[in-house]
Amino acid sequence: MRLVFAGTPEFARVALAQLLQAGHEVPLVLTQPDRPAGRGMKLQASPVKQCALQHGIAVAQPLSLRLDGKHPADAAAARTALEAARPDAMVVAAYGLILPQWVLDLPRLGCLNIHASLLPRWRGAAPIHRAIEAGDAETGVTIMQMDAGLDTGAMLLAESTPIAAADTTATLHDRLATMGGRLIVQALDLAAGTGLTATPQPAEGVTYAHKIDKHEALIDWALPAEAIARRIRAFDPFPGASTQAQGEAIKLWSCEIDSFPRLPDAASGQILSIDDAGVRVACGQGVLRLTVLQRAGGKRLRAAEFLRGFALPQGLVLGA
């Protein structure tokens, strides 16, 4: 098929690469404007833009697609480019801009979205993070026919995957990205052949995966150990769970629920014991053993190595 692709991060790049490998024609890619990133804060192209340029595909980076919005010239230029591309369908994956009705109506087959959850659970911006944080047993990818709502369109294809006890947002992201690329190729094959069956999303079970805010990264040690452990996994690699210790912000990257007895008079966040296996911390319920930590500007280190360069004395209350 002749496609326009709209996406920005690595999750979307994987899908674009699989569409190209499957032989689809992509004359135009939409992606977010270059952003400053890295220690030097130099402008960097998105993963999708880099992939498009490597394949000689035209790239548009409008600030908005709303013809009556704050950037009407951007939107008008994007409309001209989209109309010239004459797409059979538009594939959207983590693009970052709301698509107005004129975009939804432009392709012959409409706009198909690759969403990293089993809709209607976890509509919104951060479905992978929120699924892990909530302790979901499984998640997946839904290919959706886009409409004017926030991830409210009819479901075309879906596939699930279990969330393992060791899964982080990083590991689950990579698995879902590959799944999403495979499913969108499958969906387009069906659309070109026997056709796709659209199933309306059920009214029950709707949840929203609100965008991750950096302030959420600070661990509340009054929470149960299991909830904190899920949050540490959910916030890897961004924004990274953290706590205050000895006047410094310490990132927490890996942990385990520990059977070490929690003293009844121990404060939440109090260090109960320290050894090469990790730092045992009292939580609101239970004990958590921190196994991989990081100082600001440093590297992720196993607890034994971290403690050789940073003192965390027994009895210290983290986050205080």
Side-chain angles (χ1 to χ4, degrees), residues 9 13 17-18 26 30 41 115 159 166-167 185 194 197 226 233 238 261 267 282:
R13 185 206 64 79
Q18 292 200 39
V26 183
L30 302 184
M41 294 302 287
H115 187 76
E159 185 175 321
D167 266 329
V185 170
T194 57
T197 300
E226 289 186 2
R233 292 190 294 118
F238 176 85

Side-chain angles (χ1 to χ4, degrees), residues 98-118:
I98 294 173
L99 303 188
Q101 195 63 45
W102 71 262
V103 177
L104 298 174
D105 294 339
L106 192 147
R108 176 174 62 85
L109 296 174
C111 299
L112 308 185
N113 179 248
I114 308 169
H115 187 76
S117 82
L118 299 174

Side-chain angles (χ1 to χ4, degrees), residues 226-253:
E226 289 186 2
I228 295 173
R230 292 197 304 266
R231 183 163 287 195
I232 289 172
R233 292 190 294 118
F235 291 174
D236 179 359
F238 176 85
S242 67
T243 192
Q244 288 288 322
Q246 310 277 47
E248 286 193 33
I250 303 298
K251 293 276 190 181
L252 312 175
W253 293 114

Side-chain angles (χ1 to χ4, degrees), residues 245-246 269-275 279-281 306-307 310-318:
Q246 310 277 47
Q270 184 173 340
I271 296 177
L272 301 176
S273 76
I274 300 165
D275 56 32
V279 180
R280 294 177 180 87
V281 183
F306 179 88
L307 292 169
F310 189 85
L312 287 176
Q314 184 175 327
L316 177 72
V317 178
L318 299 176

Side-chain angles (χ1 to χ4, degrees), residues 273-297:
S273 76
I274 300 165
D275 56 32
D276 285 351
V279 180
R280 294 177 180 87
V281 183
C283 305
Q285 295 176 25
V287 174
L288 202 63
R289 177 160 43 92
L290 306 177
T291 56
V292 178
L293 306 92
Q294 179 184 14
R295 295 179 71 177

Side-chain angles (χ1 to χ4, degrees), residues 4-311:
V4 166
F5 186 88
T8 298
E10 177 63 16
F11 181 87
R13 185 206 64 79
V14 172
L16 175 58
Q18 292 200 39
L19 288 168
L20 294 171
Q21 186 176 6
H24 291 283
E25 183 183 0
V26 183
L28 177 66
V29 157
L30 302 184
T31 191
Q32 286 282 298
D34 297 359
R35 307 288 190 197
R39 292 188 176 181
M41 294 302 287
K42 296 181 179 179
L43 286 179
Q44 290 191 13
S46 72
V48 164
K49 179 179 179 179
Q50 294 177 41
C51 180
L53 295 179
Q54 289 167 5
H55 289 85
I57 301 170
V59 175
Q61 298 175 273
L63 293 169
S64 172
L65 292 169
R66 295 194 174 278
L67 297 168
D68 58 351
K70 294 182 179 180
H71 305 281
D74 269 26
R79 182 167 191 167
T80 298
L82 279 165
E83 290 174 343
R86 297 177 290 105
D88 295 307
M90 183 169 174
V91 174
V92 183
Y95 175 32
L97 285 185
I98 294 173
L99 303 188
Q101 195 63 45
W102 71 262
V103 177
L104 298 174
D105 294 339
L106 192 147
R108 176 174 62 85
L109 296 174
C111 299
L112 308 185
N113 179 248
I114 308 169
H115 187 76
S117 82
L118 299 174
L119 292 169
R121 187 160 178 80
W122 302 127
R123 295 174 179 173
I128 302 175
H129 299 77
R130 299 304 183 191
I132 293 177
E133 183 184 21
D136 289 2
E138 66 174 5
T139 186
V141 169
T142 304
I143 305 298
M144 176 189 66
Q145 186 81 52
M146 295 181 72
D147 61 15
L150 175 61
D151 299 329
T152 56
M155 302 177 292
L156 303 173
L157 282 179
E159 185 175 321
S160 65
T161 184
I163 299 177
D167 266 329
T168 64
T169 288
T171 62
L172 192 54
H173 165 280
D174 291 352
R175 198 155 76 245
L176 294 177
T178 300
M179 181 185 293
R182 176 168 47 76
L183 279 185
I184 191 61
V185 170
Q186 183 182 344
L188 292 171
D189 286 346
L190 288 171
T194 57
L196 285 163
T197 300
T199 304
Q201 293 187 35
E204 296 182 356
V206 174
T207 57
Y208 287 92
H210 298 290
K211 184 178 179 180
I212 301 296
D213 194 293
K214 286 185 178 181
H215 83 270
E216 295 182 71
L218 193 62
I219 290 298
D220 178 2
W221 293 104
L223 293 173
E226 289 186 2
I228 295 173
R230 292 197 304 266
R231 183 163 287 195
I232 289 172
R233 292 190 294 118
F235 291 174
D236 179 359
F238 176 85
S242 67
T243 192
Q244 288 288 322
Q246 310 277 47
E248 286 193 33
I250 303 298
K251 293 276 190 181
L252 312 175
W253 293 114
S254 186
C255 65
E256 296 176 8
I257 307 297
D258 200 282
S259 58
F260 194 87
R262 188 194 190 289
L263 302 177
D265 58 346
S268 296
Q270 184 173 340
I271 296 177
L272 301 176
S273 76
I274 300 165
D275 56 32
D276 285 351
V279 180
R280 294 177 180 87
V281 183
C283 305
Q285 295 176 25
V287 174
L288 202 63
R289 177 160 43 92
L290 306 177
T291 56
V292 178
L293 306 92
Q294 179 184 14
R295 295 179 71 177
K299 297 179 180 180
R300 299 188 188 195
L301 298 174
R302 301 294 299 180
E305 188 177 0
F306 179 88
L307 292 169
R308 284 197 285 271
F310 189 85

